[in-house]
Amino acid sequence: MRRAFLALALVAIALSALVALTPLASGGYGGRGAGPPPTPVPPYGSPSPYPTALRTPDIPKLEPVLSAPSGALIDLDSGRVLYAKGADIRRPIASTTKIMTALLVLRDARLRDEVTVSPLAAAQGGASLGLVSGERIQVRDLMYALMLQSSNDAAVALAEHVSGSVDAFVERMNQRARGMELRDTRFHSPNGLDDRGYSTALDLARITARALRNPAFARIVRTKFYRVPSPDGGQRHVQNRNALLWLYPGALGVKSGFTSAAGSCLVAAAERSELRLVSVVLGAPAEAFSDAATLLDWGFTTFELRRVVIEGERFDPVRVNGREVPVASAGTVKVIIRRGVEVKRTVDLEPGLALPIARGERLGEVVVTSQRGKELGRTPVVSAEAASRAEGELPLAERMWQRAAGFLAATFHSLMA
């Protein structure tokens, strides 16, 4: 009976593993979630077509294949570029413009601030929250409408609140881009509706990485649904247009966009096993979600976050003035590296080390490099134990002074006795 139970358990485990590794009908390696529900329609929100499935390779290829002419994949924490296709080509970016808008608003305004909607903001076309001229509404509610529903009226209302006018806010957007050394980015509006602004896949990835450092931004862009108060006392229902929040495991947001000139655009972030990636797709001929998921799949399959040095880890002792001194790492080094690739660790000592050495004293650095010699990271190394000098190891002059001092001390004590 026990053997039969064990056999059944093994069969169940095998079937579970098979199901986990089998691509779903929606495409892609591993499980996908159910698609988003139908978008709310006016007056509760503006309609937006959503894909209900992703068209991605069953198993990621050696290099991702994209339908879009421009794409990039970076590590969110280090900024390392993992993949680029036409990633430095200037293109219209549609509503992904709003990532920079949100970055500036969160820096220069408080979420609880109250905004008075202007006639200009209320008159904005395209995706809209349905703001009314003279309406008073909090920055927080406008931010959710901006990043979930891509509300163009919310973008203008926020720009006017922060800078007094749309033109002044756009100038600040471009100042911030210059400050981030984004030479291929230029904004002409806070919402991207006019298509005169442009950026590149890599520049957008860097803007997004900066924005995601703000906890409020990260919280907003991963929200699926939100309710915004209406002047009549009702609620305006806002739904996120980023379908990956429903379809891609580990999705963190960020922003979709579309105009005829820009095509389908998407900036998407996701996290798995401590590895956080940002993919950018610009100019997709159809929907951009499948291309973004393809990039993320390839990144998570190809790379890993590896701790190559651990704080407190011991290294081979080093010789100082003829004595061996135990060495330990003072920090941890984590690197993004291709799976299965080995790294080299080298301890570089500071010049002029001499005894005595106290416990925890800095001795140099451990440097981590790739097989091709590219530096991947470094952290200080310190002495794991104190190391003093024996008398025979002291310089001659110092030994003579110590002996003379000892003789004088002994003579003094004998005279006083």
Side-chain angles (χ1 to χ4, degrees), residues 195-272:
D195 274 330
R196 289 191 297 157
Y198 57 81
S199 188
T200 68
L202 279 176
D203 279 4
L204 269 179
R206 291 168 181 139
I207 294 170
T208 303
R210 181 70 60 85
L212 282 169
R213 296 178 190 173
N214 187 306
F217 180 91
R219 181 175 64 253
I220 290 169
V221 298
R222 67 172 179 260
T223 300
K224 292 182 177 180
F225 304 101
Y226 190 77
R227 293 182 179 181
V228 178
S230 177
D232 62 8
Q235 297 287 328
R236 288 172 283 205
H237 298 263
V238 175
Q239 181 174 327
N240 203 315
R241 294 186 169 188
N242 185 354
L244 293 190
L245 288 172
W246 286 267
L247 297 175
Y248 197 85
L252 302 173
V254 177
K255 188 73 188 74
S256 61
F258 173 82
T259 63
S260 297
S264 292
C265 304
L266 182 66
V267 180
E271 178 179 24
R272 292 183 189 173

Side-chain angles (χ1 to χ4, degrees), residues 137-400:
I137 184 171
Q138 284 193 343
V139 167
R140 175 183 289 104
D141 295 327
L142 291 173
M143 284 293 299
Y144 277 96
L146 178 80
M147 299 308 294
L148 273 63
Q149 188 173 271
S150 200
S151 300
N152 295 314
D153 50 357
V156 171
L158 288 167
E160 292 178 325
H161 174 73
V162 169
S163 298
S165 71
V166 169
D167 289 344
F169 186 82
V170 170
E171 178 56 32
R172 294 175 75 172
M173 294 172 74
N174 289 315
Q175 287 176 354
R176 186 64 185 272
R178 290 191 294 270
M180 295 174 64
E181 299 184 351
L182 306 178
R183 297 180 178 86
D184 294 310
T185 296
R186 180 75 178 174
F187 298 104
H188 281 270
S189 73
N191 51 33
L193 186 61
D194 60 359
D195 274 330
R196 289 191 297 157
Y198 57 81
S199 188
T200 68
L202 279 176
D203 279 4
L204 269 179
R206 291 168 181 139
I207 294 170
T208 303
R210 181 70 60 85
L212 282 169
R213 296 178 190 173
N214 187 306
F217 180 91
R219 181 175 64 253
I220 290 169
V221 298
R222 67 172 179 260
T223 300
K224 292 182 177 180
F225 304 101
Y226 190 77
R227 293 182 179 181
V228 178
S230 177
D232 62 8
Q235 297 287 328
R236 288 172 283 205
H237 298 263
V238 175
Q239 181 174 327
N240 203 315
R241 294 186 169 188
N242 185 354
L244 293 190
L245 288 172
W246 286 267
L247 297 175
Y248 197 85
L252 302 173
V254 177
K255 188 73 188 74
S256 61
F258 173 82
T259 63
S260 297
S264 292
C265 304
L266 182 66
V267 180
E271 178 179 24
R272 292 183 189 173
S273 301
E274 295 186 284
L275 184 59
R276 302 197 306 161
L277 304 179
V278 173
S279 66
V280 179
V281 175
L282 299 180
E287 51 88 9
F289 299 100
S290 294
D291 275 355
T294 296
L295 280 177
L296 292 170
D297 276 350
W298 179 81
F300 288 125
T301 303
T302 306
F303 296 90
E304 65 177 336
L305 180 65
R306 190 186 306 172
R307 288 174 172 79
V308 292
V309 178
I310 300 174
E311 183 176 358
E313 180 180 357
R314 293 288 189 107
F315 291 88
D316 291 338
V318 298
R319 296 193 70 82
V320 179
N321 296 148
R323 294 192 61 179
E324 287 192 345
V325 179
V327 175
S329 168
T332 296
V333 177
K334 297 187 290 185
V335 299
I336 305 298
I337 194 166
R338 286 180 178 265
R339 296 182 184 273
V341 171
E342 297 299 324
V343 298
K344 182 180 179 181
R345 308 186 308 175
T346 304
V347 174
D348 288 345
L349 297 180
E350 292 184 352
L353 289 176
L355 297 176
I357 290 176
R359 178 184 175 90
E361 183 175 335
R362 180 185 173 114
L363 303 178
E365 293 181 314
V366 55
V367 182
V368 181
T369 57
S370 67
Q371 293 174 327
R372 296 182 178 180
K374 179 181 178 181
E375 183 177 324
L376 302 176
R378 61 174 61 207
T379 191
V381 291
V382 299
S383 58
E385 299 175 9
S388 59
R389 292 189 295 193
E391 182 183 348
E393 297 169 331
L394 297 175
L396 177 61
E398 191 171 340
R399 293 202 305 269
M400 293 179 65

